[in-house]
Amino acid sequence: MAADFFLGRRAMLAAGGALVATSASAATPLRFDQLYGAWTVEGLRFSAEVEKLTGQEVAMRGFMAPPLKAEADFFVLSREPMALCPFCSSNADWPPDIVVVYLRRQATPVDATVPIETRGRLERGSWTDPATGFVSQLRLRDAAFRTV
C-alpha cells in the first residue's frame, strides 16, 4: 500500500512538472525590436506582432531598471541596463525600449546589470497607473521573472 502511494505521488509530481513545463513553454517570445512597427508624426505605432499578441502570455528578456522601493509589485523592463528608473510623465516621453511589468506578487529587485526573463500577459495602449501616476504604453500583467 505504501509503495502504491509512493509511486502515485511520484507520478503526480512528474505530471505536475510536465504541467509546469507546458505552461512555461506556452509564452510566446517577444523582443524589444518587435514592439513597434513605425514612427509617425503621432508617435510610435505598435507592431503587428504586438497587436496579435495583446492579451496573450509573452516572454521577454532584458534588465530590471532600478525600482522606486526595495519591495515592489512592479518594475520597468529595459533593453539595456539603466542607472535610473525611466518612468515618464506623458505618452510623448515614452521610450521605445521599455515595458512596465506588474508582478503577481511583490519581489525583491535584482541588480540592474543582471539579465532577466519575465513572462506575463501583454497589454498595449496608453494607461496611467492610478496609484503612481506613471504613464505606460506597454505592460506585462500577472507577471513573474527569473534571472538568465
Side-chain angles (χ1 to χ4, degrees), residues 5-29:
F5 174 76
F6 185 74
L7 290 175
R9 185 169 181 229
R10 267 194 190 167
M12 279 187 4
L13 289 173
L19 290 174
V20 169
T22 301
S23 67
S25 64
T28 302

Side-chain angles (χ1 to χ4, degrees), residues 1 13 17 38 44 50 56-57 62 89 99 102 123 129 144:
M1 182 76 158
L13 289 173
L44 292 169
V50 163
Q56 297 182 37
E57 186 174 353
S89 59
V99 173
Y102 289 92
E123 285 185 357
D129 187 312

Side-chain angles (χ1 to χ4, degrees), residues 86-128:
F87 274 119
C88 309
S89 59
S90 74
N91 290 333
D93 296 334
W94 183 257
D97 56 357
I98 66 172
V99 173
V100 179
V101 178
Y102 289 92
L103 299 168
R104 287 183 200 122
R105 55 186 141 304
Q106 285 189 341
T108 303
V110 298
D111 184 281
T113 62
V114 174
I116 63 170
E117 178 180 79
T118 186
R119 292 171 183 251
R121 183 178 34 83
L122 181 64
E123 285 185 357
R124 75 174 193 270
S126 182
W127 184 74
T128 303

Side-chain angles (χ1 to χ4, degrees), residues 32 62-70 72 74-87 97-101 108-114 116:
F32 282 98
F63 298 87
M64 183 183 291
L68 299 174
K69 57 185 182 176
F74 70 96
F75 65 89
V76 172
L77 183 71
S78 64
R79 180 191 307 239
E80 302 294 329
M82 302 183 99
L84 301 172
C85 180
F87 274 119
D97 56 357
I98 66 172
V99 173
V100 179
V101 178
T108 303
V110 298
D111 184 281
T113 62
V114 174
I116 63 170

